[in-house]
Each structure stands twice: as structure tokens, then as C-alpha cells.
Amino acid sequence: MNILVQKLSPTATIPQKMTENASGFDLFADIGEPIILNPLEWRQISTGIALEIPVGYEAQIRPRSGLSSTLGLSILNSPGTIDSDYRGEIKVILINLSPNPIRIEPEMRIAQIVFCPVISPQLIEAQTLSESLRQDGGFGHTGQ
Ligand SMILES: O=c1ccn([C@H]2C[C@H](O)[C@@H](COP(=O)(O)OP(=O)(O)OP(=O)(O)O)O2)c(=O)[nH]1
């Protein structure tokens, strides 16, 4: 499958898979100068790219585990949803969950983007639903 990627700025980097069978393509920050994120601060970070995702697919923006485990850097709305009809700039809402300031560098690999199929069902309003073993049990009703 081909997915079109448009660079919206000359300093943008096309997302890259770092190993052949990686699920995600790393997303690069397209920022002119470093950005400091203070503890519990979040910011939309530019990537400088836009995508044309085929209908029937979406993309998810997910954190990079290395940045989470070493820095405490995460994504506020993880996983971010990129709709197939969105043609604007892909942005990453980074949040600093650590007690220390985090410096986001230009061209830093800030997140990863994973392409996934989506289904688009018809939602039918109903008065009752069929019975199941679980019924409305949830939120730990089976114990720990
Ligand atoms: O982390 C994200 C999340 C979303 N988007 C872009 C692509 C997506 O298709 C669009 C809308 O996202 P979403 O559906 O999550 O936003 P919403 O809050 O429901 O707003 P809208 O009314 O624009 O759909 O914003 C990003 O660039 N990064």
C-alpha cells in the first residue's frame, strides 16, 4: 500500500521505520528551536507533514516507550487519531509526566505513527440487547 506524505515545511522529515518490521514510523519534530516542557505541561508539537490515508484506514499516534521510560515524556491523547479525510499538519500533543523539565529538540523522534484498518458499522438503535455470560459485569467484577 502507498500512502502519500506531503512536506509542509522544508525542514520536515518523512516518518521513518527504524527496523524493517517495526509497526510504527517514527515522527520527527519540525521545530525551529528547542522547546522546554515543564512538569505536567503539554504542547502541540509540529511534524511539518500531512498525509493522504486511504479510506478504510486510520493512523494512530503513539508514545515511544524509550522516551516514556527514560524521560517521562508521553502523549496526552494517546493514541491520537488521524482520520483518513484529514489533510492538515500532523501534530503530536506531548506531555511531560516527569518532575523535571524536558527539552524537545528539533528533529527529535517524538512519537510513532501506526497505520490501521478501521471498520465503519451502521449503528442501529435497539430497545434490548442479547444476553451474555458477563451481562453488565465489568471494572474488575471477576476479582484480581
Ligand atoms: O494527536 C492528534 C490528533 C488529531 N490530529 C488531527 C488529525 C485528526 O484527523 C484531526 C481531528 O482529531 P480528533 O478527531 O481527535 O479531534 P476532535 O477533537 O474530535 O476534533 P474534530 O472536531 O476536528 O474532529 O486532528 C493530529 O494531528 N494529532
Side-chain angles (χ1 to χ4, degrees), residues 56 117-121:
V118 285
I119 59 167
S120 193

Side-chain angles (χ1 to χ4, degrees), residues 24-76:
F25 293 73
D26 282 356
L27 285 172
F28 295 73
D30 184 37
I31 49 181
E33 49 194 48
I35 291 174
I36 305 291
L37 278 185
N38 288 310
L40 292 183
E41 187 183 1
W42 64 84
R43 286 271 286 275
Q44 279 187 13
I45 307 293
S46 295
T47 64
I49 59 150
L51 298 171
E52 185 173 326
I53 301 173
V55 172
Y57 294 85
E58 62 158 344
Q60 296 181 5
I61 310 284
R62 302 187 192 163
R64 293 187 60 216
S65 62
L67 296 178
S68 299
S69 59
T70 57
L71 300 178
L73 185 64
S74 193
I75 295 177
L76 183 59

